[in-house]
Amino acid sequence: MINKYKSLSLALLLAGGLVVGGCNSTRKADLHYENFDYTLAIEEYKEAFASREPNLVGAQRLADSYRLTGRTKEAEEWYAKVVAMPEADPINIYYYAEALRSNGKYFEAKTQYQNYAMKVPAEAAKANAKANASDAALKLLEEPVSAIVVNETAINSGNADFSPTVYENGIIFASDRGGPKSNDKDVDAGTYGWTGRPYLQMFYAERNQDSTWQLPTMASESLNSLYHDGPAVLDSSNSTIYFTRTHMVEVKNKNVNVDPTSWVKKPMTNDHVNRLEIFSATRSDSGAAGTWSAPKAFPYNKVSEYSVGHPALSPDGKTMYFVSDKPGGFGETDIYYSELQADGNWGQPVNAGNTINTVGKEMFPSFDRSGYFYFSSDTHPGFGGLDVFRAQGSRASWTKPQNLRNPINSPKDDFGMTFMRNVEKSETVGYLSSNRDSNNGTDDIYSFKMLSNAVLLVTTLERVSLPSKRTTTQPLSDVQLKLAIKGSTDTTAAFTNLNGEYAYGVMKGNVYELAGQKFGYLKQSATVSIDTTSLADTTRVTLIFDKSKANVAIALENIYYDLDKWNIRPDAALELDKLVRILQDNPSIKIELGSHTDAREGLGYNMLLSERRAQSAVEYLVSKGIPRNRLSWKGYGETRLRNGCADGVECTEEQHQMNRRTEFKIK
């Protein structure tokens, strides 16, 4: 669920309309609801429904109140009651699905999204996208963790604290904790009825050298008004700040969204809608507090028609990215960009394109030191609520966004990432916001350290014999893979695609155990170390599968012998170690090892030599712990040459060596 003050798409609407469908026992609750005082409405509805069953209107309003204040568990409970009522509007099915997904109930959420798509075809694209995202969440849960995340309890309050931006030796963040201005004068800014808490203001928290926090104080008085302010972003020199501020606009005799997430227009009269604007200010002196100029409005604010907010700057400071619900976008809120012109003014906003933007909500853009672009979305495949995604590119040209996985993301809202500047180049650390630990929908600030991420690309191939007696390989699809950190019992399962490939997200420095199996084939496994020193982000591993058929010879690659020798060469030992693994992975099979020679020397000599070679291979396997009763051996001498190098035929040493080989077959 997305708190009202947190999302541009949830435009803040004040003033009320007529009470509809209420009765004497819920009149007070209805008045609070109509005035958008949802926290008060919840208490009144709960009291009213303690002694009687709710009607449809009352149940829906209580469910809406829980949803709009971010209390997803209670919202799920009440939307379940609403959708069971025959006359309920289909939008409640969508809200029910949203609550289920935010509570991590992905199977149930998918079903409800699909139900909504069938009942409201006009919204099928959005609902089906959410259904697909529910499937994706289950797969993401199987991926290795991506970061270390810590709740910064020392600066978090019992209220909402979110969207930090790095400033001097600390952070500036948005909070509705209330409190005095920076000059220690108490200011009664009132209470925001929607949440029952004070209005949002910008606060500054400084971090000490020992990583402890000083008590947060309200930021400069010139940056905070008596209404909602924040979030903000600063340029690289910390001399210019861009921030979001809410503006109240009177809307007369127009259709406005009482709840823009419902996509249902409701007529209201003489209402005020609160829209967001971007402002900037410059600092005239140094120091953490600083003296800031009077805020200057972004030239493309247009509160009479839409909101703009959540500013972010590209690493070079020449492009501003922001969020808007202006007409003509792809979804409820889109990310736009504006380029700095030669004269110092910002250019006309341009949509950042549908690689980033979806039919849902995209918001809270930011950049790291390397120029990666981060944003939050409730529609790109993720865990639920808002998830953080990363992409490369600029303006309207981007790579496919990547979900940052667990624990950066959760089934709740995860957003507002910012990155530390003065850290080791190899480290990616910073702060983010989430309501994952909240029972009342409020957000906390978390610190994070991204773990060194890499990709393990697994290729599965089938060994195939050719008429020429040579072998080749071809992709083997639908192989079940299991991956686990060495020593752990927690495995991540997957299946290879039509190309016989699957890419795992892994962490550098870890050692993994990989296993693959498919019916009719011998199981295969490998131990994989993810190199911490390699510049490459991808480690490639190939598993080659042989069919599990009795009495079919399977050649061991590179099991060759020197002329007239039967000892195991080092290169042959490496290949025999693979056979050890096959026997360990397939404990029920017994094999015969067969050894072959080239055509030089006599038949009797070659037969004896091959027997000794086969026996030496068996002894090697026994030395590695394979029970002797699973092994037998046989020498074939020169009776089964792989090429035409028979007696009297002139061949190269390489051609002769192809015949000096060892094979195995299942008995």
Side-chain angles (χ1 to χ4, degrees):
M1 295 295 171
I2 303 171
N3 291 339
K4 203 66 167 182
Y5 52 76
K6 195 191 303 176
S7 167
L8 289 176
S9 67
L10 301 176
L12 305 171
L13 305 179
L14 294 182
L18 298 175
V19 176
V20 180
C23 62
N24 289 337
S25 63
T26 61
R27 187 172 301 279
K28 186 181 291 187
D30 291 333
L31 287 172
H32 286 311
Y33 181 88
E34 293 291 337
N35 285 319
F36 312 105
D37 296 333
Y38 296 116
T39 301
L40 296 176
I42 287 171
E43 297 307 314
E44 295 294 340
Y45 282 125
K46 284 170 61 178
E47 183 177 345
F49 298 151
S51 58
R52 69 175 181 87
E53 286 295 316
N55 61 13
L56 174 59
V57 172
Q60 181 169 337
R61 288 184 169 188
L62 180 53
D64 288 344
S65 298
Y66 280 128
R67 171 174 57 85
L68 295 169
T69 53
R71 297 171 64 174
T72 61
K73 291 182 180 179
E74 294 90 344
E76 177 193 331
E77 175 187 352
W78 279 91
Y79 278 120
K81 296 178 180 180
V82 173
V83 299
M85 299 179 180
E87 297 181 0
D89 190 295
I91 189 60
N92 293 287
I93 301 174
Y94 179 82
Y95 292 148
Y96 183 35
E98 290 280 87
L100 287 165
R101 185 169 170 231
S102 287
N103 293 332
K105 299 179 179 179
Y106 298 114
F107 286 113
E108 298 94 325
K110 178 181 178 180
T111 299
Q112 297 303 323
Y113 284 128
Q114 291 172 332
N115 288 343
Y116 182 69
M118 288 187 292
K119 289 183 179 293
V120 187
E123 301 296 338
K126 181 180 182 67
N128 287 329
K130 293 292 186 75
N132 292 335
S134 298
D135 281 336
L138 294 171
K139 294 181 180 179
L140 286 169
L141 285 171
E142 298 176 348
E143 297 288 339
V145 296
S146 60
I148 299 171
V149 175
V150 177
N151 189 310
E152 294 294 337
T153 55
I155 56 172
N156 289 317
S157 65
N159 291 1
D161 308 287
F162 64 95
S163 286
T165 187
V166 174
Y167 175 62
E168 295 293 348
N169 296 319
I171 55 174
I172 290 177
F173 62 96
S175 177
D176 62 2
R177 65 182 63 198
K181 295 282 187 177
S182 56
N183 59 8
D184 294 329
K185 293 181 181 180
D186 289 332
V187 177
D188 183 8
T191 299
Y192 180 36
W194 191 297
T195 63
R197 300 188 294 272
Y199 294 114
L200 287 171
Q201 304 289 289
M202 288 185 283
F203 285 77
Y204 173 70
E206 185 167 331
R207 196 151 203 171
N208 301 314
Q209 290 186 349
D210 62 358
S211 296
T212 60
W213 290 99
Q214 297 182 17
L215 185 68
T217 58
M218 196 171 284
S220 171
E221 191 169 341
S222 63
L223 300 180
N224 283 317
S225 65
L226 295 183
Y227 203 46
H228 294 301
D229 295 287
V233 68
L234 289 111
D235 65 2
S236 59
S237 65
N238 282 341
S239 61
T240 302
I241 188 171
Y242 299 85
F243 62 96
T244 306
R245 175 170 286 178
T246 305
H247 188 94
M248 184 183 294
V249 180
E250 186 175 5
V251 182
K252 292 185 177 181
N253 300 317
K254 290 186 177 181
N255 288 336
V256 297
N257 273 331
V258 170
D259 175 14
T261 63
S262 69
W263 318 302
V264 176
K265 300 290 185 180
K266 299 182 180 180
M268 303 282 286
T269 59
N270 299 318
D271 279 342
H272 290 78
V273 57
N274 286 285
R275 292 200 171 103
L276 306 183
E277 298 181 284
I278 294 175
F279 285 83
S280 63
T282 56
R283 193 176 67 173
S284 59
D285 59 1
S286 60
T291 300
W292 295 93
S293 66
K296 177 183 177 182
F298 182 57
Y300 302 103
N301 294 336
K302 200 170 185 179
V303 293
S304 61
E305 296 184 20
Y306 50 80
S307 290
V308 299
H310 303 183
L313 294 173
S314 60
D316 62 7
K318 295 181 179 180
T319 307
M320 180 193 295
Y321 294 81
F322 61 90
V323 181
S324 179
D325 58 357
K326 65 185 295 185
F330 293 98
E332 294 177 63
T333 60
D334 280 15
I335 294 174
Y336 292 78
Y337 68 92
S338 174
E339 297 186 89
L340 191 63
Q341 307 299 299
D343 60 4
N345 294 316
W346 292 105
Q348 282 284 345
V350 180
N351 192 290
N354 62 359
T355 301
I356 296 294
N357 294 314
T358 68
V359 294
K361 305 179 188 73
E362 279 68 49
M363 51 190 71
F364 297 103
S366 65
F367 287 88
D368 66 13
R369 295 177 303 159
S370 300
Y372 281 101
F373 181 63
Y374 297 78
F375 66 98
S376 288
S377 171
D378 71 344
T379 305
H380 283 291
F383 292 102
L386 292 172
D387 271 24
V388 183
F389 293 82
R390 184 178 80 169
Q392 285 181 285
S394 64
R395 302 176 180 85
S397 178
W398 303 97
T399 59
K400 182 180 178 181
Q402 295 177 320
N403 188 292
L404 293 191
R405 309 196 317 271
N406 171 55
I408 293 293
N409 289 318
S410 71
K412 304 293 186 180
D413 291 331
D414 308 290
F415 62 99
M417 292 190 79
T418 191
F419 297 86
M420 299 294 291
R421 300 169 183 170
N422 299 320
V423 294
E424 294 291 332
K425 188 175 181 180
S426 60
E427 290 187 333
T428 303
V429 296
Y431 305 95
L432 64 96
S433 314
S434 179
N435 62 351
R436 65 185 65 184
D437 297 323
S438 172
N439 292 322
N440 63 356
T442 58
D443 307 295
D444 280 348
I445 293 171
Y446 295 76
S447 60
F448 68 85
K449 178 180 179 180
M450 299 295 293
L451 299 172
S452 298
N453 292 328
V455 172
L456 173 60
L457 180 61
V458 183
T459 302
T460 54
L461 303 175
E462 176 185 4
R463 199 188 326 261
V464 179
S465 296
L466 299 176
S468 64
K469 296 184 180 181
R470 291 181 176 270
T471 60
T472 187
T473 56
Q474 63 186 21
L476 184 62
S477 63
D478 295 323
V479 175
Q480 184 186 46
L481 301 175
K482 290 185 178 180
L483 184 73
I485 296 176
K486 190 172 184 178
S488 171
T489 58
D490 296 330
T491 61
T492 301
F495 287 87
T496 55
N497 60 21
L498 291 175
N499 296 321
E501 293 180 339
Y502 185 81
Y504 278 105
V506 293
M507 290 176 288
K508 289 186 176 180
N510 279 349
V511 179
Y512 292 89
E513 294 291 350
L514 173 68
Q517 63 179 6
K518 184 174 182 176
F519 181 76
Y521 294 84
L522 293 173
K523 295 179 182 178
Q524 299 288 332
S525 68
T527 301
V528 186
S529 297
I530 307 301
D531 192 355
T532 58
T533 61
S534 173
L535 296 177
D537 289 329
T538 301
T539 300
R540 291 174 169 80
V541 173
T542 300
L543 299 179
I544 299 178
F545 291 80
D546 295 290
K547 288 187 176 179
S548 182
K549 289 185 177 181
N551 298 313
V552 175
I554 300 171
L556 293 172
E557 302 295 333
N558 303 318
I559 298 293
Y560 299 125
Y561 301 85
D562 293 325
L563 181 63
D564 292 334
K565 302 291 185 181
W566 58 83
N567 58 291
I568 302 299
R569 300 187 339 191
D571 57 349
L574 292 175
E575 195 65 27
L576 283 172
D577 286 339
K578 296 179 183 179
L579 181 55
V580 170
R581 189 136 196 169
I582 291 174
L583 291 166
Q584 291 171 339
D585 293 337
N586 301 270
S588 64
I589 68 170
K590 295 182 178 181
I591 66 168
E592 176 197 277
L593 277 165
S595 184
H596 304 261
T597 68
D598 59 33
R600 292 176 291 185
E601 302 296 339
L603 288 174
Y605 176 86
N606 284 336
M607 190 63 70
L608 178 62
L609 181 61
S610 64
E611 286 278 356
R612 290 175 175 173
R613 286 176 174 174
Q615 186 175 2
S616 68
V618 166
E619 294 302 326
Y620 182 86
L621 297 179
V622 171
S623 74
K624 295 297 182 177
I626 303 301
R628 191 179 295 275
N629 63 3
R630 296 179 61 191
L631 307 171
S632 60
W633 69 89
K634 186 174 182 179
Y636 290 90
E638 59 180 279
T639 61
R640 297 184 180 182
L641 300 175
R642 298 184 68 178
N643 51 34
C645 295
D647 289 335
V649 178
E650 185 175 345
C651 291
T652 65
E653 180 58 31
E654 182 180 1
Q655 290 173 315
H656 282 301
Q657 184 165 268
M658 287 182 60
N659 292 318
R660 300 195 300 269
R661 68 195 187 277
T662 295
E663 299 172 335
F664 76 93
K665 56 185 177 183
I666 301 171
K667 301 301 291 182

